[in-house]
Amino acid sequence: MKTYKILLDSIDKVKDFVNLINRFKSEIDLASGRYVVDAKSIMGIFSLELSKPLLLTVYGEEELEDIENALKPFILD
């Protein structure tokens, strides 16, 4: 399991993120405060507060490196 801070502050970023994340088999969650949704669900993501950074949690190790490389445009340092 690994956690990242990401920012999805526009509709286009959310669409790009969901299209990208759905390529992977791993279970991935997004959290905003105490609300947690499936990161592969565009409707779930739009129910979160998107003006602030979100916490992305990837479960499993198999695809972790590929996921991290794919998410670089969204990850905050």
Side-chain angles (χ1 to χ4, degrees):
M1 180 173 89
K2 186 147 184 192
T3 305
Y4 306 91
K5 263 191 179 178
I6 66 165
L7 188 61
L8 301 174
D9 57 353
S10 73
I11 292 171
D12 289 333
K13 280 188 181 180
V14 172
K15 287 182 196 175
D16 292 344
F17 173 82
V18 171
N19 288 332
L20 180 84
I21 215 71
N22 273 300
R23 297 180 192 161
F24 300 102
K25 294 179 185 177
S26 299
E27 288 189 34
I28 305 168
D29 288 338
L30 271 177
S32 175
R34 56 184 206 180
Y35 297 100
V36 179
V37 298
D38 183 349
K40 297 179 181 182
S41 167
I42 195 163
M43 294 303 288
I45 293 172
F46 279 123
S47 72
L48 299 175
E49 173 62 52
L50 298 178
S51 65
K52 299 177 183 175
L54 304 170
L55 205 58
L56 177 92
T57 305
V58 179
Y59 299 94
E61 302 292 323
E62 310 85 44
E63 302 175 300
L64 193 54
E65 188 176 326
D66 293 334
I67 292 170
E68 190 170 315
N69 288 330
L71 293 176
K72 281 186 181 178
F74 304 101
I75 296 174
L76 298 174
D77 294 325

